[in-house]
Amino acid sequence: IKLVSICVSLLIIQGFSSQTTDSYTTGHPGNCWFHKFYYKENAFEDIYILKEYDLNIKANFTCADGCVYTRVGDPYTMEYCFEQSPNETDEATNKYIMPSLSCDVL
């Protein structure tokens, strides 16, 4: 999935809105997740919060669905959507993934 800044730029990520309704989705036609955790090259990067559902986004941009998000810490006017990514190490998920600890034993 790619994350598309509707106002400014592109950012590549994997995963997009769930096809089934669960406790993380809104239940409206897009089944958008309320929030997405973004991992780039298997490392946590950002959290995106659902702003709205807009089918025109699919027609005007290369978004996978009509789910429009804002990134935590960005102005509310910055909007993002998600599209397919060729990079398998980039991921968007509705659950936080705990980093794995790597300790060297002396």
Side-chain angles (χ1 to χ4, degrees):
I1 294 287
K2 285 185 182 176
L3 175 65
V4 179
S5 171
I6 298 169
C7 300
V8 180
S9 63
L10 297 177
L11 183 64
I12 299 175
I13 62 175
Q14 183 75 16
F16 55 94
S17 107
S18 170
Q19 296 302 312
T20 61
T21 302
D22 59 27
S23 61
Y24 297 103
T25 62
T26 59
H28 59 65
N31 278 339
C32 302
W33 289 339
F34 285 114
H35 58 270
K36 290 190 180 196
F37 296 95
Y38 167 56
Y39 299 84
K40 183 166 181 67
E41 298 179 5
N42 295 321
F44 176 75
E45 286 270 323
D46 289 301
I47 300 173
Y48 294 85
I49 306 298
L50 181 65
K51 180 177 181 180
E52 64 186 355
Y53 180 74
D54 182 356
L55 280 177
N56 293 324
I57 296 299
K58 284 179 70 172
N60 297 330
F61 298 93
T62 56
C63 303
D65 52 30
C67 305
V68 179
Y69 292 86
T70 60
R71 184 170 54 187
V72 172
D74 279 359
Y76 192 68
T77 55
M78 290 293 298
E79 298 177 330
Y80 301 87
C81 67
F82 295 84
E83 65 183 12
Q84 198 60 40
S85 170
N87 189 343
E88 293 182 17
T89 62
D90 296 344
E91 181 178 12
T93 181
N94 61 353
K95 297 178 183 174
Y96 181 74
I97 300 170
M98 292 295 293
S100 58
L101 298 175
S102 59
C103 300
D104 294 330
V105 178
L106 298 175

